[in-house]
Amino acid sequence: MFKVSVRHGVAEPPPSALGLKVLSQVPSLPGASAPFEILDLRQVTIAAAGSERDVYLHPTDGSLLIKIINRARIDEVGRKRPWHKRFQREDAHRVFIAEIVEYIATTVRQRADQGNTLMARIAGVVLTSQGLGLVVERIVDVRGDLAPTLRQVVAQQGFGPELRILVHEFFMGLIDAHVIFNDVSASNIVLGFNADGRKGLYLVDGFGSKQLLPLYAWSKVLNGRRLLRKYQEMARKLS
């Protein structure tokens, strides 16, 4: 005789009574990976650090990086956060959602065969010893090290005509793809090669709609005007 579970006063037979097979152990498929394995980052190098996140080298894949929320830095005494963020269920991880949405929207609008060509591509989320992480493409230089930011490139070689043209074309691409680039800074753009070996400028941070009223996400015209203005301001500072 089988046991009966009760939900809202209604008797429900167990799965076996409905012809469903209950597995005591999940079978492993040949060649299957472990997508829900918890990656240990305790001995992994931190490649970069921002105001709220640390960026780790992926422990098993050299073409990827993992962005992790640094809770201690966010909770520092005296640090101010917008009032509405206190009501977000995802808390500081809201930035992951913003970046994933922007990545999807940008990729769809570009319709490029090789995928997104304006930002470091997103591979998904992963469980780690440091918490939930966002897995992103690692943009590198000719030696295979992390690619320099646009700010670093200009500091080393100046803002010459060739680089000016490259930056201008990059921003025109952002405008055309309706990318919401919130924190327009030369520190959030890198110059290097993606995992496919394509050389160019790439967004690595500062993108995704974060406004309480997402006006720039609603209007491509307003977003384009803002991006053009921010580009001109940034170009003047780099000159």
Side-chain angles (χ1 to χ4, degrees), residues 31-194:
S33 59
F36 303 110
E37 176 186 1
I38 298 178
L39 296 181
D40 189 354
L41 300 181
R42 289 174 296 180
Q43 304 299 322
V44 178
T45 302
I46 294 180
S51 60
E52 294 187 352
R53 292 184 290 181
D54 292 326
V55 181
Y56 289 79
L57 300 177
H58 196 287
T60 61
D61 192 331
S63 67
L64 300 173
L65 298 170
I66 304 177
K67 294 182 178 181
I68 298 289
I69 298 295
N70 188 313
R71 174 56 60 185
R73 197 173 300 138
I74 291 176
D75 294 336
E76 288 178 347
V77 178
R79 185 183 178 90
K80 295 182 179 180
R81 299 184 68 199
W83 64 269
H84 63 273
K85 288 189 175 182
R86 290 178 295 176
F87 301 99
Q88 295 173 341
R89 292 185 303 151
E90 59 276 10
D91 197 40
H93 288 81
R94 177 72 184 181
V95 66
F96 287 177
I97 298 175
E99 290 186 357
I100 290 174
V101 168
E102 200 60 38
Y103 172 71
I104 293 173
T106 303
T107 303
V108 170
R109 295 187 70 90
Q110 286 186 81
R111 295 187 176 91
D113 293 338
Q114 64 272 43
N116 202 302
T117 60
L118 295 173
M119 62 182 66
R121 292 174 288 188
I122 296 176
V125 293
V126 66
L127 301 171
T128 81
S129 58
Q130 304 300 100
L132 190 66
L134 184 66
V135 184
V136 300
E137 185 175 27
R138 180 181 179 183
I139 310 300
V140 300
D141 61 16
V142 293
R143 298 182 301 274
D145 298 325
L146 284 182
T149 65
L150 177 58
R151 185 179 304 281
Q152 292 171 328
V153 172
V154 172
Q156 294 171 0
Q157 64 184 48
F159 197 41
E162 185 177 345
L163 185 56
R164 283 178 179 271
I165 293 174
L166 187 62
V167 173
H168 180 269
E169 292 178 345
F170 177 68
F171 269 85
M172 293 306 103
L174 295 178
I175 291 173
D176 183 60
H178 194 175
V179 177
I180 313 302
F181 188 10
N182 272 300
D183 187 5
V184 179
S185 166
S187 296
N188 290 330
I189 303 170
V190 299
L191 175 60
F193 302 85
N194 69 2

